[in-house]
Amino acid sequence: MGAEVTVLSQTLGKKDDGLAFGATHYHATSDPATFEALRNSFDLIVNTVSAPIDMAAHLGLLRLGGTLVSVGAPPEPLPVQVFSLFNNRRSFAGSSIGSIAETQEMLDFCAEHGIAPEVELIGADDVNEAYERVLKSDVRYRFVIDVDSLR
């Protein structure tokens, strides 16, 4: 849709998927060279993980006036070194789920542009197995329970 998108992920395990979904670049954050190579590169980083990240390292990836927005909520506080914000006038923001009207607007936008999620559809009887797979990190995307299986 006109943006140059870079995926930052812990490993290169989903690189093919990220590029197939439209990303131009894909980098592993487990490689320290990534942070040096991409320093001051991004206008916006959307952090979707609900796990702790190295905030100083990620904020260092932002260019002048860049913003890191967290939409994932890790169980522990994320420590932010204030001086990492001062450099290049960086910002750190958060966002939670929107209102019903905002959700509808997002769904309408997705429908207009042919954007659909990648999910694994499961029956209600498979919920326990799905939960075990979540615990083993054996989930590629999201599980969605087929409503018809509840009848």
Side-chain angles (χ1 to χ4, degrees):
M1 303 190 87
E4 183 176 338
V5 176
T6 298
V7 174
L8 299 174
S9 188
Q10 179 115 17
T11 69
L12 298 176
K14 295 181 183 177
K15 182 177 182 177
D16 290 342
D17 290 341
L19 297 175
F21 290 147
T24 306
H25 311 283
Y26 192 107
H27 298 275
T29 57
S30 58
D31 180 357
T34 292
F35 291 96
E36 191 57 40
L38 299 177
R39 182 165 223 58
N40 300 318
S41 294
F42 300 109
D43 297 309
L44 174 68
I45 297 173
V46 179
N47 175 27
T48 62
V49 299
S50 293
I53 63 168
D54 181 341
M55 287 297 294
H58 283 78
L59 287 167
L61 299 176
L62 295 170
R63 63 173 47 132
L64 179 67
T67 302
L68 188 153
V69 179
S70 281
V71 296
E76 300 90 30
L78 288 174
V80 177
Q81 297 172 2
V82 175
F83 284 104
S84 63
L85 297 172
F86 293 167
N87 295 333
N88 289 339
R89 293 191 317 257
R90 296 175 176 128
S91 298
F92 175 51
S95 181
S96 62
I97 190 166
S99 66
I100 291 174
E102 290 170 321
T103 301
Q104 187 61 56
E105 181 182 352
M106 181 269 308
L107 291 171
D108 292 344
F109 178 89
C110 289
E112 288 172 24
H113 294 89
I115 300 169
E118 288 290 328
V119 299
E120 186 173 336
L121 192 63
I122 63 169
D125 293 341
D126 299 322
V127 169
N128 289 336
E129 178 185 335
Y131 181 71
E132 291 299 321
R133 287 184 52 203
V134 168
L135 295 176
K136 295 177 186 172
S137 295
D138 180 31
V139 183
R140 199 69 175 160
Y141 300 106
R142 298 289 184 260
F143 288 120
V144 174
I145 300 171
D146 185 351
V147 176
D148 286 338
S149 70
L150 298 173
R151 297 175 192 182

